[in-house]
Amino acid sequence: MCQVLSDEDSMGSKRKEITNNELEGSSSRKKKNKKGHTPRPACSWVHFSRDFIKEYSASHPESSGLKVATKAASNAWKVMSLEEKEIYTKRAREVWDDYLSSTPAREPKPRKQANLVTRCSPGRLVNVIKQFTPEQKEAVKSMGFGSLLDLKCRTLRRSLCLWLLERFNTIRRSLEICGKRIPLSPVDVELVMGLSASGKDVVSSGSDDVVADLRLRYNASNRGISVRFLEEKLGEQEAGEDFKRAFLLYVLGTLLCPTARLDVSPSFLHFLTDMDSIHEYNWAKFLLDKLVREVARFRQGKQRAVGGCLLFLQLFYYESVAIGVPGELGPVVVPCLSSWTEENISEREKQEKELGGYGSGEVICKERGLGVHVDTLPDTHRAYRSLAPRSLAPQEEHQHLGGGGVSVVMNYKDQITLPTKIEGFGYNNNVNLSVSHNNNNNNNTMDYDQNNGIGIGIAYDQNQCPVPNCTFNGQYENLSDHFSTKHWDSGRRFRYNCPLPVSLGMHETFLVLQAEEDGLLFLLNKGTENIGHTVTITGIGPNESDERFLYYLVSERGGSSLRLKSYTQNLPGRVDGIPPADFLLVPFGYLNSSGELNLEVCIWNQQI
């Protein structure tokens, strides 16, 4: 006996079949996620659409498939008010909080890339410079880039550059090699590359209308300015303003500040509108800033190629690390790039291999005038700056200050005497300080005897616990453990590089954020002005620390959003009053019906 299905039964069977297929697909995806990692929680729209589609399918049996129901859900979501959406927003936020607190930290995947991909091409620049006329070389010198005319290195040693990138601390802006931490500064760029380390900051942003004519003149597209087009411009015989601008675009895009793209960034056009002031810029700082930013983006997986001037890192290593006897070193040639030919580099690479590879030499930064302060790397993974006074022998210790013949002589009278705390955050010890200034063979000496009431306070970094009524006031490295132990439920834990939704109540003025990776503490501060709230993020740490963390703040209202991208400042604790220079102003209209301020926070552990 044959049973005939009605249209309604047929549609129902089809819908059931689709649902079963979707469930099978969902279960297979869940199995994949179990093998890999915990899936990210759904957003507020997904929570709403799930409920809506269930109700819609039950009340509209004649509709077929998921597409119609999803479209209906989308139309309904668009016309909903913020108050109606708040139910699903809170549900998504709760799921996010559970996800962040329960999901274990992911270990970063090891980078499989063995070959270095970079657009930094010194050989290409050398080939172009060879064709310059004497007038064009004079034009290059007039802009302050004459040192590049002596460039002799044609190829990058990519294995060395990869080795240096692994040891490049972008937060501290230093190379950690040979058991030493060598800081990088614009002065080092000047000594190695011959670019000015003083002058105005280079600003590569502005209105597109200002550079509209230049974009047309250099055929700038969304991808950038063609390198081949610039090479053709440089091949012409003229040495005027067009040549100077084309040269700067070319040298920045192929050697000094290349990005991950093949073409030259059109953002460089913004500082090329006034060619008469090119020599007034701090090009060394610009090069170093771009290098740090590009390396940070590469490590975050945002780009496959490594941007920035890798030639500077390579030559800085050659000049900073000796692989022979330091006493046999030749005189320093400034800028250093003029002394490194292909033959010299090949010989150096041969010696590196004979000694067992990179990092087998001895750091000689001070002898070569590079690296302002070279520190010995500690054994611990994360180094905190220890300001405890060293136990000195009774004899004098001399610290010579560069230039002018000034020397400071410190004499610890009693090696066993411990420092005693005074008012504020200072410590005293039995110290004699004598400052002698030698000039024109005249010796002027000033003696200060602490036992007679005049002395030196050796400052310790004291940081206050941000929790109200907590009396902790101790050293920076102890604050993280104190907060984790005593106030683990008073803040929010977060992960670097991951967005975190947070809410501040009407009367809440701050929120403590603690990083899961290293335990560092940050404060989300909220102030009140006439038209809204000021929001910023500060780090709790030593004021003189050079560590700065990039952070984002986002506040949304419907289809509108307010965003702030800035760097944290270090403060000793919670400070009320005027906010720091950078803050996000959120109008009162962005608050929800309960007066809460909802934000999305993301703190990056890389400096850009």
Side-chain angles (χ1 to χ4, degrees):
M1 181 177 180
C2 180
Q3 184 178 5
V4 180
L5 296 177
S6 64
D7 292 341
E8 182 176 350
D9 294 336
S10 177
M11 295 293 293
S13 61
K14 287 183 179 179
R15 186 157 50 245
K16 186 174 182 181
E17 182 181 353
I18 294 174
T19 304
N20 291 334
N21 291 335
E22 291 172 352
L23 290 175
E24 290 177 2
S26 175
S27 62
S28 63
R29 286 194 297 269
K30 288 182 179 179
K31 290 180 180 179
K32 292 181 180 179
N33 287 330
K34 287 182 180 179
K35 293 180 181 179
H37 57 269
T38 305
R40 291 167 62 91
C43 62
S44 56
W45 147 253
V46 176
H47 287 281
F48 165 76
S49 63
R50 289 172 179 171
D51 296 343
F52 183 91
I53 291 173
K54 289 180 182 179
E55 297 178 1
Y56 186 87
S57 299
S59 59
H60 297 75
E62 73 282 358
S63 64
S64 60
L66 190 63
K67 185 176 181 180
V68 176
T70 303
K71 185 176 181 180
S74 177
N75 294 333
W77 178 261
K78 291 178 181 179
V79 298
M80 289 175 62
S81 64
L82 293 177
E83 289 74 14
E84 293 173 329
K85 292 181 179 179
E86 184 65 22
I87 301 174
Y88 304 99
T89 303
K90 287 186 176 181
R91 187 191 302 178
R93 189 183 305 122
E94 292 173 356
V95 176
W96 256 106
D97 293 342
D98 294 338
Y99 168 79
L100 293 175
S101 59
S102 61
T103 305
R106 300 178 186 173
E107 296 183 0
K109 295 181 179 179
R111 185 175 293 275
K112 297 181 180 180
Q113 182 173 343
N115 297 322
L116 178 67
V117 179
T118 179
R119 311 305 177 198
C120 184
S121 179
R124 196 164 190 170
L125 178 62
V126 171
N127 292 335
V128 171
I129 290 177
K130 278 185 176 181
Q131 310 301 323
F132 283 177
T133 64
E135 292 78 12
Q136 290 175 331
K137 292 182 179 180
E138 288 299 323
V140 172
K141 293 178 182 178
S142 67
M143 294 185 293
F145 290 82
S147 61
L148 301 182
L149 300 176
D150 296 326
L151 179 63
K152 301 178 177 64
C153 174
R154 302 180 61 89
T155 57
L156 287 176
R157 297 308 190 262
R158 297 178 181 251
S159 57
L160 171 59
C161 291
L162 273 176
W163 185 84
L164 291 172
L165 288 174
E166 294 173 355
R167 291 153 180 82
F168 188 12
N169 189 324
T170 56
I171 297 178
R172 294 180 179 271
R173 295 194 172 206
S174 62
L175 285 175
E176 300 176 353
I177 54 179
C178 304
K180 303 287 184 180
R181 178 180 290 116
I182 309 175
L184 301 175
S185 70
V187 176
D188 298 320
V189 178
E190 183 176 33
L191 294 175
V192 174
M193 305 297 295
L195 305 179
S196 174
S198 61
K200 302 182 297 184
D201 286 346
V202 181
V203 180
S204 59
S205 62
S207 174
D208 291 339
D209 297 336
V210 178
V211 295
D213 293 339
L214 292 179
R215 291 179 66 94
L216 291 175
R217 189 182 306 177
Y218 292 95
N219 296 335
S221 64
N222 293 332
R223 294 183 57 85
I225 303 172
S226 171
V227 173
R228 294 186 181 275
F229 173 80
L230 293 175
E231 287 178 345
E232 293 176 0
K233 295 282 289 184
L234 294 175
E236 300 174 359
Q237 297 299 312
E238 67 95 16
E241 190 172 283
D242 285 342
F243 166 80
K244 293 180 180 179
R245 188 178 289 113
F247 173 78
L248 280 177
L249 288 171
Y250 187 79
V251 75
L252 291 172
T254 59
L255 179 68
L256 301 182
C257 304
T259 61
R261 296 185 176 183
L262 287 171
D263 297 328
V264 181
S265 173
S267 65
F268 294 154
L269 291 172
H270 288 286
F271 51 76
L272 299 180
T273 55
D274 182 13
M275 297 302 297
D276 294 334
S277 61
I278 292 299
H279 64 283
E280 300 175 0
Y281 289 118
N282 190 335
W283 293 106
K285 180 179 181 297
F286 185 65
L287 182 150
L288 185 58
D289 291 343
K290 287 292 185 181
L291 175 63
V292 171
R293 178 184 183 274
E294 291 295 324
V295 174
R297 288 177 59 85
F298 170 71
R299 288 181 175 174
Q300 294 163 11
K302 295 183 177 180
Q303 55 195 37
R304 181 170 176 264
V306 185
C309 186
L310 299 184
L311 178 65
F312 162 69
L313 286 183
Q314 175 179 315
L315 299 183
F316 181 86
Y317 172 80
Y318 290 155
E319 291 287 339
S320 303
V321 178
I323 56 176
V325 181
E328 298 178 355
L329 295 175
V332 180
V333 178
V334 178
C336 302
L337 64 84
S338 61
S339 62
W340 287 99
T341 63
E342 285 295 303
E343 293 75 13
N344 293 340
I345 293 177
S346 298
E347 180 62 26
R348 170 63 184 253
E349 291 289 315
K350 179 181 178 182
Q351 294 176 356
E352 292 275 2
K353 292 181 181 180
E354 292 175 352
L355 290 177
Y358 302 119
S360 302
E362 178 182 353
V363 174
I364 55 167
C365 284
K366 294 180 180 179
E367 293 83 349
R368 311 295 282 179
L370 299 169
V372 181
H373 300 288
V374 181
D375 302 326
T376 302
L377 288 176
D379 295 332
T380 56
H381 175 69
R382 181 173 182 84
Y384 291 98
R385 182 178 299 176
S386 176
L387 298 181
R390 293 182 298 142
S391 177
L392 300 181
Q395 66 270 19
E396 296 178 343
E397 177 183 327
H398 295 265
Q399 179 184 358
H400 295 281
L401 306 179
V406 179
S407 63
V408 177
V409 182
M410 299 185 67
N411 180 15
Y412 279 71
K413 288 186 175 180
D414 188 355
Q415 183 180 6
I416 304 177
T417 302
L418 297 176
T420 57
K421 186 174 183 180
I422 61 174
E423 296 231 359
F425 302 137
Y427 282 76
N428 281 348
N429 206 340
N430 294 329
V431 179
N432 275 350
L433 171 67
S434 63
V435 180
S436 61
H437 181 74
N438 302 324
N439 190 14
N440 297 329
N441 297 324
N442 294 326
N443 295 329
N444 299 321
T445 303
M446 295 179 292
D447 293 322
Y448 294 86
D449 189 347
Q450 184 171 334
N451 291 332
N452 292 330
I454 303 176
I456 306 171
I458 302 177
Y460 274 60
D461 281 329
Q462 300 290 309
N463 294 97
Q464 302 171 355
C465 179
V467 177
N469 302 324
C470 180
T471 59
F472 176 86
N473 187 10
Q475 295 186 17
Y476 169 53
E477 50 264 47
N478 298 328
L479 178 59
S480 175
D481 294 336
H482 162 79
F483 188 86
S484 300
T485 304
K486 301 294 184 181
H487 311 294
W488 57 271
D489 57 344
S490 298
R492 289 284 302 275
R493 295 180 67 84
F494 73 94
R495 294 197 184 112
Y496 290 120
N497 312 339
C498 293
L500 174 70
V502 299
S503 296
L504 288 174
M506 183 183 302
H507 301 293
E508 291 181 300
T509 59
F510 74 98
L511 176 65
V512 183
L513 304 174
Q514 186 173 32
E516 294 184 1
E517 290 87 342
D518 50 22
L520 293 187
L521 297 179
F522 299 85
L523 282 179
L524 177 64
N525 305 282
K526 185 185 79 172
T528 303
E529 300 295 329
N530 293 333
I531 61 174
H533 293 298
T534 57
V535 189
T536 187
I537 292 181
T538 58
I540 301 180
N543 291 329
E544 76 280 0
S545 174
D546 57 357
E547 287 193 354
R548 297 292 184 269
F549 292 82
L550 177 69
Y551 71 88
Y552 292 86
L553 287 175
V554 181
S555 178
E556 296 183 344
R557 181 187 62 179
S560 303
S561 64
L562 301 173
R563 299 173 182 270
L564 171 66
K565 172 185 175 183
S566 185
Y567 288 92
T568 59
Q569 297 184 22
N570 284 328
L571 297 175
R574 184 164 50 89
V575 179
D576 299 326
I578 301 175
D582 296 335
F583 59 88
L584 179 67
L585 179 60
V586 183
F588 292 126
Y590 275 70
L591 306 182
N592 62 19
S593 58
S594 303
E596 290 182 336
L597 175 60
N598 298 321
L599 299 165
E600 184 177 79
V601 179
C602 185
I603 303 177
W604 297 81
N605 62 349
Q606 298 287 344
Q607 185 178 16
I608 298 181

